[in-house]
Amino acid sequence: MEGSVFTPALEGIKLVKSEQGEILTQPFLDACKHILPVIDKFGAAMALVKSDIGGNIARLESKYASNPTRFNCLYTLVQVEIETKTAKSSSSCTNGLLWLTRAMDFLVALFQNLVGHTDWSMAQACTDSYNKTLKKWHGWLASSSFTVAMKLAPDRKKFMEVIQGPGGDVSSDIQKFCTDFSPLLEENHKFLSRCGLDDMKAS
C-alpha cells in the first residue's frame, strides 16, 4: 500500500462513525490499533505507551466481542458499567477507554509538535506533549518512568524518514490524522465528563 505509516489509520478513521453520528466500537479501536506501527518506530521510548494502548484496546475488544450487537456503539460499554456501578473500577472498560483516549491525546499532541515545531528535538516534542496531556493524570511513579523513557527517544530526522513510507507525504498525513482524530477524542472526553468519569487519576 502506498503512502506513509499513517495511511491505514486515515482510512480507518473514515469508518468510525455510524450514519447516526455515533462512535462505533470496533472501528474506533481499529483506528487506534493502526497507530501502533507508528509507535513501534519510536523504539524503547514508547514501549510504555504502546503496552498501555494495546492493553486498553484488548480490554475493550474483549468486552465488545462478548456481545457485538449490544456493544456496537462505544459508549454502551461505559453506560452498562455506570448502571452496574463498576465504571470506576481500575479494570473497567470505562477506565480502559479513558486511558486509551488520554494516550491518544498524547500522541496527537506529539504528532502536532513534530509538524509544527520543526526545530525541536524528539525529546523536546515528547516532553512538551506529555506535559500538556498525560502528566496531570500520572502519579510520581508513572511520571518518572516516562521521563526516563524519553531519554531513549529516537533522532527526529531518522524517525521522520522511517515513517515516511514510499511516496507518502508524511507531514500532511500527520496533520490530517490530528485533524480527523482529535474530534473523536474530544467527544470521548465530553461523554466521560458528562458521566463524571473524566478525572480519574493513575495511582
Side-chain angles (χ1 to χ4, degrees):
M1 186 169 178
E2 288 297 311
S4 72
V5 178
F6 283 88
T7 308
L10 290 172
E11 289 304 309
I13 291 171
K14 296 175 187 166
L15 310 171
V16 169
K17 289 219 164 170
S18 69
E19 284 174 14
Q20 292 72 39
E22 292 171 305
I23 295 182
L24 301 170
T25 308
Q26 194 61 58
F28 175 76
L29 296 175
D30 287 343
C32 293
K33 252 193 251 180
H34 288 313
I35 285 300
L36 293 176
V38 183
I39 305 175
D40 272 339
K41 311 289 185 209
F42 278 95
M46 288 288 169
L48 283 169
V49 176
K50 188 185 176 197
S51 72
D52 201 31
I53 290 176
N56 287 322
I57 290 174
R59 183 190 302 186
L60 292 160
E61 268 190 331
S62 128
K63 186 71 174 173
Y64 167 75
S66 70
N67 194 336
T69 314
R70 184 181 185 189
F71 297 126
N72 187 37
C73 292
L74 186 61
Y75 300 157
T76 330
L77 297 163
V78 175
Q79 279 153 343
V80 165
E81 292 182 338
I82 292 171
E83 283 157 26
T84 55
K85 301 203 172 8
T86 53
K88 291 195 173 178
S89 142
S90 62
S91 59
S92 69
C93 284
T94 305
N95 204 34
L97 175 62
L98 176 63
W99 283 102
L100 175 59
T101 301
R102 285 174 178 169
M104 296 307 286
D105 281 338
F106 162 69
L107 290 174
V108 166
L110 171 56
F111 297 146
Q112 281 172 329
N113 278 347
L114 289 176
V115 177
H117 297 279
T118 46
D119 54 332
W120 284 13
S121 70
M122 182 63 88
Q124 209 174 345
C126 290
T127 306
D128 177 79
S129 28
Y130 177 71
N131 290 345
K132 279 189 204 149
T133 55
L134 287 169
K135 190 173 184 174
K136 64 179 167 205
W137 305 115
H138 275 171
W140 180 82
L141 190 65
S143 232
S144 334
S145 315
F146 195 89
T147 311
V148 171
M150 280 312 100
K151 294 190 167 59
L152 306 168
D155 173 72
R156 181 202 166 101
K157 187 166 176 286
K158 282 198 189 117
F159 173 76
M160 295 305 268
E161 280 165 10
V162 170
I163 62 172
Q164 174 76 40
D169 172 5
V170 78
S171 291
S172 72
D173 281 0
I174 291 177
Q175 200 54 63
K176 186 161 172 41
F177 173 75
C178 295
T179 305
D180 293 355
F181 202 68
S182 297
L184 299 172
L185 299 175
E186 192 56 40
E187 207 168 310
N188 287 352
H189 283 302
K190 281 185 180 150
F191 170 74
L192 290 164
S193 183
R194 279 201 303 276
C195 303
L197 297 163
D198 199 30
D199 56 356
M200 292 191 276
K201 289 197 169 190
S203 48

